[in-house]
Amino acid sequence: MAHENIKVNLYVWRQNGPNDPNAGIKVYSDLEINTHMSFLEMLDVLNTHIIENKDKYPEGPVAFEHDCREGICGACSLVINGRPHGPMQGTTTCQLHMRHFNNGDNIYIEPFKAKAFPMIKDLVVDRSSFDKIIQAGGYISVNTGGTPDGNAVPVPQDVSSEAMDAAACIGCGACVAACPNASAMLFTSAKVSHLGLLPQGKTEAAIRVKRMVSQMDNEGFGLCSNVGACEADCPKEISINNIARMNRAYISSTFTNDH
Amino acid sequence: MKKFQSNVPESETLEDKWTEYRSRMPLVAPNNKRNIEVIVVGTGLAGASAAATLGELGYQVKAFCFHDSPRRAHSIAAQGGINAAKNYQNDGDSVYRLFYDTVKGGDYRSREANVHRLAEVSRNIIDQCVAQGVPFAREYGGNLANRSFGGVQVSRTFYARGQTGQQLLIGAYSALSRQISLGNVVMYNRHEMLDLVVVEGKARGIIARNLLTGQLERYGAHAVVLATGGYGNVFYLSTNAMGSNVTAGWVSHKRGAYFANPCYCQIHPTCIPVSGDYQSKLTLMSESLRNDGRVWVPKHKKDVEALRAGKMKPTELSEEDRDYYLERIYPAFGNLVPRDVASRAAKYRCDDGYGVGSTGLAVYLDFAAAILRYGKSAATSQNLVNPSDEKIKELGRAVVEKKYGNLFEMYEKITGEDPYKTPMRIFPAVHYTMGGIWVDYNLETSIPGLFATGESNFSDHGANRLGASALMQGLADGYFVLPYTIGVFLSKEIRTPKISTDTPEFEEAQNNVQTKINKLLSINGTRSVESYHRELGVDIMWQYCGMARNAEGLKIGREKVRALREDFWKNVYVPHSDKDGHEFNPELEKALRVADFFELAELMMVDANDRKESCGGHFRDEYATAEGEAERNDKDYAYVSAWEYNGLDDDPILHKEKLEFKDIELKTRSYK
Ligand SMILES: Cc1cc2nc3c(=O)[nH]c(=O)nc-3n(C[C@H](O)[C@H](O)[C@H](O)COP(=O)(O)OP(=O)(O)OC[C@H]3O[C@@H](n4cnc5c(N)ncnc54)[C@H](O)[C@@H]3O)c2cc1C
Ligand code: SF4
Ligand code: FES
């Protein structure tokens, strides 16, 4: 694979804290990069350039979140040219490589925007509302110890595989950013499905779905109107069928009593 | 007062130690637990499991992580699997065999009793995770599936596709979330521990920086547990997540916790090679790939040149012109030799000029044979008569895709090459650190009341860790060991009132951190933190303290680390708008971590120099056989090196914990 250098123009959302009156897009033109870089390595290059020319760039380096850089921790975000995690299907921002861009491209980079994801700085937002949804019921209530042997309850291969498909969610929030209503249905339904499909998670299924849905509403996420943008932009290709499954579970849960 | 005794319980046999100890252990009554506070720093596998379990037991837990959520800890990235001595495959596995494999794999540099306990509780972990809803891979009949991993001859690895760490962490995170919702654990996300507070010789709290506001905050507790992960990022390029760092362990070390075996670093044989100097991290290709992939380089230099120049494709090279060197040198284990052996073999091929790829620093991992083999067997089971080569390949590809699909996809995303059609290019990279904070049998450090678990302690892996055993150790520590053993300390603390943070010790620690921050921010030099980190890791550590070390290089390396550290404190530029760091400032976070890596780096050089033998991940050029195999020296070096901090200008002080092997005979590891 040939290494190639190209130049790109970055249009980056800069915002110094939640209430910055000067928040907006800033342009960094003619950044020279290598097509083998990942998108985040390109931002590293930009930040090094900013740091090494501090007099020219009083705004300082661009804040963005990242950690694993291999598509699994869910820390990276970014809306790239209007799409959460950029143009490639089933790919997180950290796995996106610059070989998918061309010399002279203008690239718009913005944060995940949603009421339930308050702004922190530049491209960093607060996604702890997702933790709150999990705390409301995204678990099976077992304590450590005293559990039956792992093979005591056989789980059919297709059931465990379907549960795994849903469990693959990385909690990144792209589904929320993609949704015109900023709904967290895909995220929540993935957890409801993962646990509800497995025999171990069935006992609490009804109460789980009720609590998680109500927490989702409390956190300020919008309602689902079946647009489907979440599925299209989800880097783990979590299926929208999970939402249908959760809706069914939710309706039937309203016939059981909370306790 | 520092304590430095292994505290391994006395029992007739190794098998009885843990069981007997547990039944004799002092307990803390439930009504007392409610008044006892425990701080858990880190919520990866080791920390989340510990915090959840301590919460369930009734302790008041405060848990900390620097991530925005516990679910993002580096544990999430583990791909391959987790070991357990379940013997579900009926292939002769047992607790003893897992114990034996781990001690042997660790090149006889671990503590027997700890490893045996690990093997015992490994079985409970799987039960626990299944009950939590971890979607492990299953057989057709619905039972749990297993695969084999490097360095062993049984199938004992449990997995959830290529995302085992993710699924185990989500399990621990969900247990933790439940305890948070019940009010038993208070979770502090985006809080970074920057100092340990020791009061009258006992660990009683931490200073943490709230990463959103930049304010320093004081937290007190009856005991502190570190579960802060490994320090592989001292090499800058590694398979660790970008944020992984040594700070919590290092500041504890400076407060009196001994640091054990810092030179034991694991270099993983199958990572995607470096492609350019902009590179920020290296990506692991799971070891499970070596079950089906064959490692090779060309036999002849002329082919190497043609391949490097792109004049020839690896698929065009005939079988007789390839050197499947692992199969050739180690016929008994072949491609499944342990990591240190596989990594070194790759290094030797490349040193000798047989490396491929544009840099010459890569070997091939080839799936063509596996695709054919699986294709043929699928054709037979589908009763296809005379299937075409195309059909066989298609069937074989489907099998390989099912096993490793996400890894192949990841490889293609990064390199732009399709590994179903052309062999992967791989090279060793820093992956895991066996060294860490020294702990006794109770996982207690040399500071009473300070505990260390998971990768942050010096662990059960000796000088080399076998695949799929870090997840096992993290969860063993957190679910099944620490929650018991911490009681030995806490049972003596039931009369200790709530720890006040309004004391001179907390004051001093907070000032210490604030001074360091102010100093970093006031330098206003010209060089970025990143550039220092890269130079430290790539140009110094990898060069002089990497896959092979020698006395001369370690001496030069140490001098270079010092010189660069001094330069860092004069010339680094940490962008900021608040001189006290009271703001959200990722560059400052990085600077604080890199500052500690500098100090650790020097200790690693000292330790590597002291250990005049080759064992596991520590390889000294001077101590090798004529064929280049490691030469261990059990007579002089069968000890754990536990280092005591002695100021930056003076040499650290070495304490030796002698390792005794009562159950296992020390042998030269052979995988031939
Ligand atoms: C790519 C990759 C693949 C792997 N695959 C496998 C595998 O297949 N099988 C296997 O057994 N092992 C594997 N490992 C190793 C294994 O994943 C790790 O050793 C293990 O997960 C470490 O867990 P831990 O809980 O000790 O630490 P981590 O998961 O690293 O967690 C550290 C925690 O500490 C917190 N923290 C750190 N410092 C501070 C501080 N100063 N203040 C506050 N919080 C702090 C972090 O926020 C985080 O929550 C793999 C490792 C890598 C890199
Ligand atoms: S459902 Fe998809 S987009 Fe939404 S949080 Fe999970 S992985 Fe991200
Ligand atoms: S940085 Fe972890 S998913 Fe992108």
Side-chain angles (χ1 to χ4, degrees):
Chain A
M1 230 320 100
H3 287 230
E4 204 190 317
N5 285 340
I6 57 171
K7 281 187 178 168
V8 290
N9 307 310
L10 302 182
Y11 292 70
V12 186
W13 183 267
R14 302 303 313 257
Q15 179 166 354
N16 197 5
N19 308 314
D20 179 2
N22 302 319
I25 295 278
K26 175 145 176 110
V27 190
Y28 299 91
S29 318
D30 286 332
L31 186 72
E32 185 164 341
I33 52 144
N34 179 301
T35 53
H36 249 42
M37 282 176 189
S38 70
F39 199 86
L40 297 184
E41 282 166 349
M42 183 228 5
L43 285 183
D44 292 342
V45 169
L46 172 67
N47 275 345
T48 304
H49 178 71
I50 289 177
I51 291 170
E52 284 170 359
N53 299 280
K54 54 184 168 187
D55 300 333
K56 200 167 148 204
Y57 303 105
E59 72 275 24
V62 182
F64 62 92
E65 283 202 284
H66 63 104
D67 198 27
C68 72
R69 296 203 176 188
E70 29 187 86
I72 192 74
C73 74
C76 65
S77 53
L78 307 189
V79 175
I80 300 166
N81 288 339
R83 287 192 65 181
H85 292 301
M88 304 297 290
Q89 184 67 28
T91 305
T92 55
T93 292
C94 60
Q95 291 181 302
L96 175 63
H97 279 68
M98 295 313 292
R99 66 179 77 92
H100 303 295
F101 293 85
N102 297 313
N103 194 27
D105 274 0
N106 295 331
I107 306 175
Y108 282 80
I109 309 173
E110 293 165 278
F112 282 1
K113 286 181 190 155
K115 186 169 133 230
F117 290 166
M119 161 58 70
I120 294 175
K121 189 179 184 204
D122 295 338
L123 305 170
V124 180
V125 297
D126 180 357
R127 289 170 280 183
S128 47
S129 46
F130 271 12
D131 282 339
K132 300 271 168 45
I133 295 176
I134 299 296
Q135 284 158 20
Y139 45 75
I140 294 173
S141 297
V142 286
N143 281 355
T144 302
T147 49
D149 183 83
N151 266 346
V153 183
V155 181
Q157 211 178 42
D158 54 332
V159 171
S160 111
S161 168
E162 218 181 335
M164 181 63 216
D165 287 341
C169 163
I170 57 174
C172 63
C175 45
V176 176
C179 176
N181 310 321
S183 165
M185 285 290 269
L186 194 62
F187 168 78
T188 310
S189 67
K191 187 48 59 189
V192 165
S193 294
H194 156 213
L195 296 175
L197 282 165
L198 293 168
Q200 290 83 1
K202 288 222 191 300
T203 321
E204 285 172 287
I207 188 158
R208 174 183 308 121
V209 68
K210 251 203 236 175
R211 289 192 179 158
M212 290 180 74
V213 168
S214 117
Q215 189 65 34
M216 189 174 78
D217 295 341
N218 292 346
E219 294 297 327
F221 290 104
L223 297 171
C224 171
S225 53
N226 292 315
V227 179
C230 53
E231 183 188 57
D233 280 342
C234 170
K236 296 293 138 181
E237 303 179 305
I238 302 292
S239 163
I240 204 163
N241 293 340
N242 290 304
I243 297 185
R245 191 186 284 119
M246 179 163 84
N247 283 334
R248 285 196 301 276
Y250 186 73
I251 290 166
S252 70
S253 80
T254 55
F255 298 113
T256 56
N257 293 324
D258 205 339
H259 47 262
Chain B
M1 205 195 49
K2 303 289 167 306
K3 48 186 245 354
F4 186 58
Q5 253 133 30
S6 68
N7 290 323
V8 172
E10 299 289 339
S11 284
E12 277 294 292
T13 66
L14 195 56
E15 288 75 34
D16 293 334
K17 282 187 197 288
W18 178 234
T19 316
E20 287 185 11
Y21 187 57
R22 251 191 332 169
S23 27
R24 279 192 280 108
M25 215 178 252
L27 297 176
V28 182
N31 57 325
N32 286 329
K33 283 192 180 120
R34 257 176 273 128
N35 301 321
I36 291 188
E37 295 185 302
V38 181
I39 284 175
V40 178
V41 189
T43 48
L45 282 182
S49 56
T53 307
L54 291 168
E56 289 163 13
L57 289 172
Y59 293 109
Q60 295 295 310
V61 181
K62 298 172 189 165
F64 294 80
C65 71
F66 65 73
H67 292 93
D68 68 321
S69 161
R71 69 178 296 149
R72 310 226 196 272
H74 167 57
S75 294
I76 200 109
Q79 302 168 348
I82 175 165
N83 287 333
K86 281 288 200 184
N87 192 28
Y88 282 158
Q89 304 307 321
N90 198 26
D91 56 0
D93 200 9
S94 64
V95 166
Y96 186 84
R97 194 180 287 275
L98 174 54
F99 156 71
Y100 178 85
D101 285 344
T102 308
V103 173
K104 176 188 172 196
D107 222 354
Y108 309 94
R109 289 293 174 265
S110 46
R111 199 187 281 142
E112 259 190 357
N114 286 50
V115 179
H116 200 277
R117 174 176 67 189
L118 174 67
E120 288 172 53
V121 304
S122 70
R123 298 169 302 180
N124 307 45
I125 296 173
I126 301 305
D127 304 341
Q128 188 64 37
C129 295
V130 168
Q132 287 170 344
V134 171
F136 283 122
R138 301 268 170 175
E139 309 283 5
Y140 281 115
N143 279 347
L144 291 158
N146 289 119
R147 58 182 167 208
S148 62
F149 246 55
V152 300
Q153 289 165 316
V154 292
S155 268
R156 62 161 77 101
T157 305
F158 295 78
Y159 61 100
R161 295 206 185 128
Q163 289 118 279
T164 317
Q166 178 195 29
Q167 294 311 314
L168 297 176
L169 183 62
I170 298 280
Y173 161 71
S174 67
L176 174 63
S177 297
R178 178 167 156 253
Q179 291 308 306
I180 295 171
S181 74
L182 293 171
N184 300 329
V185 177
V186 181
M187 183 69 221
Y188 297 90
N189 297 339
R190 295 195 198 265
H191 274 69
E192 183 148 355
M193 168 181 169
L194 295 178
D195 208 348
L196 177 78
V197 182
V198 180
V199 182
E200 290 168 2
K202 294 177 184 167
R204 294 299 198 192
I206 64 169
I207 304 296
R209 182 163 178 270
N210 177 333
L211 301 181
L212 286 181
T213 63
Q215 299 285 344
L216 297 182
E217 298 169 2
R218 305 175 183 187
Y219 295 93
H222 293 79
V224 177
V225 180
L226 299 183
T228 46
Y231 52 86
N233 275 348
V234 67
F235 290 91
Y236 185 73
L237 287 181
S238 83
T239 62
N240 289 8
M242 303 295 288
S244 298
N245 69 87
V246 75
T247 290
W250 193 255
V251 294
S252 304
H253 174 57
K254 289 172 100 166
R255 293 278 176 195
Y258 294 173
F259 208 107
N261 302 332
C263 79
Y264 290 164
C265 301
Q266 177 162 82
I267 317 271
H268 196 292
T270 53
C271 302
I272 300 179
V274 178
S275 70
D277 56 13
Y278 47 78
Q279 193 129 353
S280 57
K281 76 156 280 167
L282 295 170
T283 302
L284 175 79
M285 289 284 101
S286 168
E287 174 160 22
S288 58
L289 291 171
R290 283 199 279 143
N291 275 317
D292 284 310
R294 298 178 72 197
V295 179
W296 64 275
V297 291
K299 253 188 205 152
H300 310 292
K301 289 262 167 81
K302 65 170 184 7
D303 295 332
V304 172
E305 272 150 37
L307 284 162
R308 282 192 199 166
K311 288 186 192 137
M312 186 202 246
K313 289 192 187 132
T315 44
E316 289 164 8
L317 205 66
S318 69
E319 281 296 310
E320 34 322 337
D321 291 331
R322 300 175 178 198
D323 178 13
Y324 294 95
Y325 58 87
L326 289 177
E327 297 169 28
R328 171 170 61 79
I329 309 173
Y330 307 102
F333 280 71
N335 293 297
L336 287 175
V337 291
R339 294 176 174 174
D340 53 337
V341 178
S343 291
R344 233 162 11 246
K347 174 181 160 29
Y348 290 150
R349 291 302 138 300
C350 296
D351 286 352
D352 289 348
Y354 292 97
V356 295
S358 55
T359 56
L361 291 176
V363 301
Y364 290 123
L365 181 65
D366 199 331
F367 293 87
I371 290 176
L372 279 185
R373 178 164 44 87
Y374 284 127
K376 280 186 191 147
S377 111
T380 313
S381 66
Q382 293 178 18
N383 291 324
L384 299 182
V385 188
N386 289 332
S388 66
D389 283 359
E390 281 305 291
K391 185 70 194 169
I392 290 177
K393 275 194 193 153
E394 183 192 312
L395 292 169
R397 185 192 154 113
V399 177
V400 169
E401 190 167 338
K402 195 155 176 229
K403 288 180 101 164
Y404 310 112
N406 63 327
L407 297 171
F408 276 49
E409 223 176 85
M410 183 144 85
Y411 183 86
E412 183 167 6
K413 273 183 189 148
I414 294 175
T415 61
E417 291 175 0
D418 178 0
Y420 293 103
K421 299 205 173 110
T422 184
M424 287 184 179
R425 278 176 296 111
I426 53 160
F427 196 66
V430 174
H431 177 57
Y432 181 88
T433 49
M434 282 74 69
I437 299 295
W438 180 88
V439 289
D440 69 2
Y441 189 73
N442 292 329
L443 305 181
E444 192 172 11
T445 70
S446 52
I447 303 177
L450 179 69
F451 295 76
T453 61
E455 195 174 339
S456 75
N457 72 23
F458 86 105
S459 85
D460 304 339
H461 309 293
N464 174 55
R465 174 174 73 77
L466 290 180
S469 55
L471 302 182
M472 167 172 75
Q473 183 225 334
L475 290 181
D477 287 358
Y479 285 132
F480 298 109
V481 180
L482 177 103
Y484 290 105
T485 56
I486 199 172
V488 177
F489 173 80
L490 290 176
S491 61
K492 290 174 286 193
E493 297 289 334
I494 52 177
R495 286 188 191 81
T496 311
K498 206 172 158 182
I499 304 299
S500 161
T501 57
D502 204 6
T503 62
E505 290 87 353
F506 276 91
E507 180 82 29
E508 186 270 332
Q510 182 175 342
N511 289 343
N512 173 40
V513 177
Q514 189 61 55
T515 310
K516 189 166 170 185
I517 289 174
N518 289 116
K519 193 165 162 202
L520 273 171
L521 294 180
S522 65
I523 299 169
N524 270 318
T526 51
R527 263 185 82 174
S528 68
V529 177
E530 201 73 19
S531 75
Y532 279 106
H533 191 185
R534 182 188 296 274
E535 186 174 340
L536 171 70
V538 177
D539 299 337
I540 306 180
M541 293 310 287
W542 182 248
Q543 215 57 37
Y544 299 100
C545 201
M547 258 194 285
R549 301 139 177 199
N550 58 56
E552 195 194 355
L554 290 164
K555 187 164 166 271
I556 302 173
R558 185 177 182 189
E559 280 159 15
K560 284 187 182 264
V561 170
R562 281 195 168 204
L564 191 64
R565 188 185 77 214
E566 275 161 27
D567 192 70
F568 172 84
W569 283 103
K570 279 193 204 114
N571 278 320
V572 72
Y573 171 54
V574 185
H576 60 280
S577 41
D578 185 278
K579 69 170 179 30
D580 295 319
H582 292 166
E583 61 183 334
F584 177 72
N585 186 347
E587 282 294 314
L588 174 59
E589 294 165 27
K590 249 194 296 190
L592 286 160
R593 294 171 191 164
V594 171
D596 291 332
F597 276 138
F598 270 113
E599 298 180 11
L600 166 76
E602 199 178 332
L603 182 65
M604 289 169 71
M605 299 271 184
V606 172
D607 186 44
N609 188 37
D610 173 75
R611 193 162 281 278
K612 297 182 176 48
E613 65 164 349
S614 293
C615 61
H618 169 64
F619 188 80
R620 288 279 300 258
D621 296 327
E622 306 98 310
Y623 310 100
T625 64
E627 297 102 61
E629 299 292 337
E631 239 173 13
R632 225 176 50 223
N633 176 350
D634 294 328
K635 191 165 94 17
D636 302 317
Y637 289 94
Y639 61 75
V640 176
S641 307
W643 296 94
E644 181 182 349
Y645 184 74
N646 190 29
L648 269 189
D649 299 323
D650 289 308
D651 278 352
I653 300 162
L654 176 62
H655 301 268
K656 298 177 184 176
E657 180 195 335
K658 208 169 148 19
L659 292 168
E660 282 169 21
F661 295 89
K662 296 200 178 117
D663 252 72
I664 287 187
E665 184 197 346
L666 272 71
K667 288 198 209 138
T668 303
R669 270 192 322 163
S670 169
Y671 294 93
K672 289 198 171 168

